Amino acid sequence: MTKLLLNWLTNGPAAQQLISFDHHDIMTGSLFCAHVTHLHNQLSQSDAKRWLLAAQNSDLFAAGLCAALLAGKQVVLPANTQRGTLSQLNHEFDAIIADKPLCEAGEFVSLKKELSLPAANWPKANTLGELVLFTSGSSGQPKAITKTLAQLDAEVSILEHTFAQHLPHCSVVSTVSHQHIYGLLFKILWPLAASRAFLSEQIDFPETLSYYLAIMPNLCLISSPAQLTRLPDALDNQPQQRTPSLIFSSGGPLNFESAQAVKQCFKQLPIEVFGSTETGGIAYRRQHQQQQTWQPFERVNVNADPHDGALMLQSVYLDSPDTWVKCDDKIELLENGQFRLLHRLDRIVKIEEKRLSLAQLEHLLQSHPFVSDAAVTVLEQPRIMLGAAVCLNELGRQTLKDEGKLAINTALKNHLLSQFERITLPKRWRYPNTLPLNSQGKRTSADIAALFIHD
């Protein structure tokens, strides 16, 4: 199936298409069309080209997105609407379309649900707009990533081709934000183009998920490793009577134990999607076993750099689909075209005047029989040293209980000595139940370092 999204955006929804729902309301295709036309008329009359878009509810966000793209505007998606985030981006947009005023801007178009709008035809576009998303750059400043509709259409079309057979008459619910590329694609663009309704609110609590699973027969859950790791405990690790038809996870690899815990509750393994804002989706997997390999998506070619094993990518989602792009992940390429993710190649630091890769050290820690996950960070007080935060698996927790922390520390240090000099090993150790993640499901060095503030 090709041009799924572009065809839908050109023609608009059918009047009877169910666009979105929540616990007390629905948005039909005809009502959605009226909203998009109303917003399109306002945007078309403005000379402003770059519009920052933000809304809490996904149906209003989708209406604003479609209206702006059909009006040929550049749509700027901030990671969040915090004051600091917007101040960093204030030179990146000229006007705002949002569900509330966010900051001083030249123009503001309000997103709100209006039931009295007249019926309207879907707007016709002379030129379609584009999207700009922001991701963390190496300097810590937001890095702009432009996405054309042709690139997004390719991704939506391949997702439908790859997974549609598992999604019979599904509606979509999500625990992740539509402001980021994963939620944007999986909760908004793909459901719209494939005529699948989505929940207009974001699910923040397990009870809300259980509520919708109880009243709707077929749901697809869009989630993240951070949320799926916590979900089984919130459900008492018990098999659920009502389960999603499909579960997606993205934002980082899901550890094996968490994947199995999700299966215990929902009778299926999540489908993990590996990719980034820059690259789009690269590959997918279900963790049937430890070190499960990744299967590249159709029209995505993967190779390993012969010098350092870095992932080399050729993808229809990139600006130059025929050009090979080098990524920061080291992989093991298999003969069948699948690959194993090993570790990141960046995050090089100096400890005792010796260079080492934090990613390599974390990967080695994670391979120990006691460990389910690990993160390493540089601590600067009372002197420069490494701190390791390690989540123990069942065997590790039992050993900690029986033999104490010193025995665990010693075992892990001996394991690290196979690749690292003793002088560079972590000097401080923490054993939290889970590693801290931010609202985007990302692990930050500041959050890991905070685990070591109190001795």
Side-chain angles (χ1 to χ4, degrees):
M1 187 178 296
T2 59
K3 295 190 175 180
L4 186 69
L5 177 61
L6 284 171
N7 287 338
W8 183 90
L9 195 58
T10 299
N11 300 315
Q16 67 273 21
Q17 179 180 343
L18 178 59
I19 300 294
S20 66
F21 62 94
D22 59 25
H23 64 283
H24 67 275
D25 200 7
I26 64 170
M27 174 81 80
T28 63
S30 56
L31 182 58
F32 187 74
C33 182
H35 273 83
V36 170
T37 301
H38 175 67
L39 295 168
H40 179 269
N41 290 339
Q42 298 175 71
L43 295 171
S44 298
Q45 294 169 15
S46 171
D47 293 330
K49 177 65 178 175
R50 304 175 303 169
W51 287 78
L52 183 138
L53 169 64
Q56 183 173 359
N57 285 354
S58 294
D59 51 357
L60 294 178
F61 174 90
L65 177 65
C66 291
L69 293 174
L70 290 167
K73 305 298 185 181
Q74 185 183 78
V75 181
V76 177
L77 298 186
N80 56 59
T81 55
Q82 300 298 109
R83 187 184 302 274
T85 300
L86 296 181
S87 67
Q88 286 183 307
L89 303 181
N90 60 3
H91 297 298
E92 304 287 349
F93 60 91
D94 310 308
I96 293 176
I97 177 169
D99 54 0
K100 60 184 177 182
L102 298 174
C103 61
E104 294 296 328
E107 293 181 59
F108 171 68
V109 170
S110 178
L111 289 173
K112 55 186 176 182
K113 191 168 290 188
E114 299 182 53
L115 302 178
S116 59
L117 292 173
N121 294 320
W122 189 253
K124 298 299 180 186
N126 296 322
T127 303
L128 291 171
E130 63 182 12
L131 280 84
V132 179
L133 299 102
F134 287 87
T135 187
S136 299
S138 57
S139 66
Q141 293 299 309
K143 177 183 175 184
I145 308 294
T146 301
K147 293 287 182 180
T148 67
L149 276 167
Q151 291 171 317
L152 295 169
D153 173 72
E155 191 143 12
V156 165
S157 298
I158 289 174
L159 287 173
E160 178 71 4
H161 176 76
T162 306
F163 301 117
Q165 61 180 329
H166 305 294
L167 293 169
H169 309 295
C170 270
S171 297
V172 176
V173 298
S174 174
T175 65
V176 301
S177 169
H178 51 235
Q179 297 284 152
H180 306 285
I181 187 66
Y182 172 46
L184 175 70
L185 281 167
F186 279 71
K187 185 183 180 182
I188 304 291
L189 297 180
W190 182 17
L192 283 177
S195 297
R196 295 189 185 95
F198 56 80
L199 179 64
S200 58
E201 61 183 353
Q202 183 174 316
I203 290 181
D204 294 322
F205 303 103
E207 295 83 3
T208 310
L209 175 61
S210 297
Y211 168 78
Y212 283 108
L213 286 170
I215 65 174
M216 304 190 72
N218 292 308
L219 288 181
C220 172
L221 173 61
I222 311 300
S223 194
S224 72
Q227 293 151 332
L228 290 177
T229 297
R230 294 191 294 264
L231 185 58
D233 283 344
L235 299 173
D236 297 323
N237 292 287
Q238 294 300 308
Q240 303 296 295
Q241 285 188 321
R242 299 293 183 91
T243 62
S245 298
L246 211 59
I247 302 170
F248 285 100
S249 175
S250 190
L254 184 67
N255 69 55
F256 180 74
E257 284 190 338
S258 296
Q260 300 304 311
V262 171
K263 183 181 179 182
Q264 167 73 17
C265 292
F266 290 130
K267 304 171 188 173
Q268 63 173 297
L269 289 165
I271 296 176
E272 294 175 72
V273 177
F274 167 56
S276 68
T277 307
E278 295 93 332
T279 64
I282 296 174
Y284 61 96
R285 71 174 182 179
R286 271 179 161 156
Q287 289 198 72
H288 296 285
Q289 58 189 17
Q290 295 267 17
Q291 298 296 311
Q292 183 72 49
T293 56
W294 295 85
Q295 171 64 49
F297 282 106
E298 185 180 331
R299 303 181 69 189
V300 172
N301 297 318
V302 165
N303 210 333
D305 186 285
H307 301 293
D308 58 9
L311 168 64
M312 300 296 296
L313 181 66
Q314 194 182 53
S315 171
V316 69
Y317 309 148
L318 300 175
D319 291 333
S320 301
D322 297 326
T323 302
W324 286 94
V325 174
K326 186 173 183 177
C327 302
D328 287 328
D329 296 282
K330 184 173 182 177
I331 66 167
E332 176 190 354
L333 188 66
L334 306 180
E335 291 184 0
N336 61 4
Q338 297 180 352
F339 63 91
R340 289 190 181 92
L341 267 179
L342 299 181
H343 57 77
R344 298 277 295 177
L345 288 167
D346 51 5
R347 299 175 64 216
I348 305 298
V349 299
K350 266 192 173 183
I351 300 294
E352 302 291 344
E353 302 304 317
K354 297 181 182 293
R355 286 169 58 86
L356 62 86
S357 165
L358 295 182
Q360 181 185 359
L361 197 149
E362 287 173 351
H363 180 72
L364 185 57
L365 271 177
Q366 290 162 358
S367 69
H368 192 278
F370 290 167
V371 177
S372 64
D373 203 359
V376 180
T377 192
V378 177
L379 304 174
E380 298 184 356
Q381 296 295 333
R383 57 185 174 83
I384 299 292
M385 67 179 75
L386 293 184
V390 179
C391 295
L392 299 174
N393 57 24
E394 187 174 348
L395 175 60
R397 291 191 295 270
Q398 188 61 49
T399 305
L400 177 65
K401 180 180 178 181
D402 294 342
E403 302 181 28
K405 183 179 178 181
L406 180 60
I408 296 289
N409 289 0
T410 302
L412 296 183
K413 287 178 181 178
N414 289 337
H415 183 65
L416 292 177
L417 285 171
S418 65
Q419 294 183 24
F420 295 89
E421 297 179 61
R422 185 176 295 276
I423 197 171
T424 66
L425 297 187
K427 298 294 190 292
R428 298 173 69 186
W429 298 80
R430 292 290 183 272
Y431 297 100
N433 292 327
T434 59
L435 295 177
L437 298 163
N438 66 14
S439 60
Q440 300 174 37
K442 302 293 185 182
R443 187 178 299 165
T444 69
S445 57
D447 288 337
I448 300 300
L451 296 173
F452 297 87
I453 291 175
H454 302 293
D455 286 318

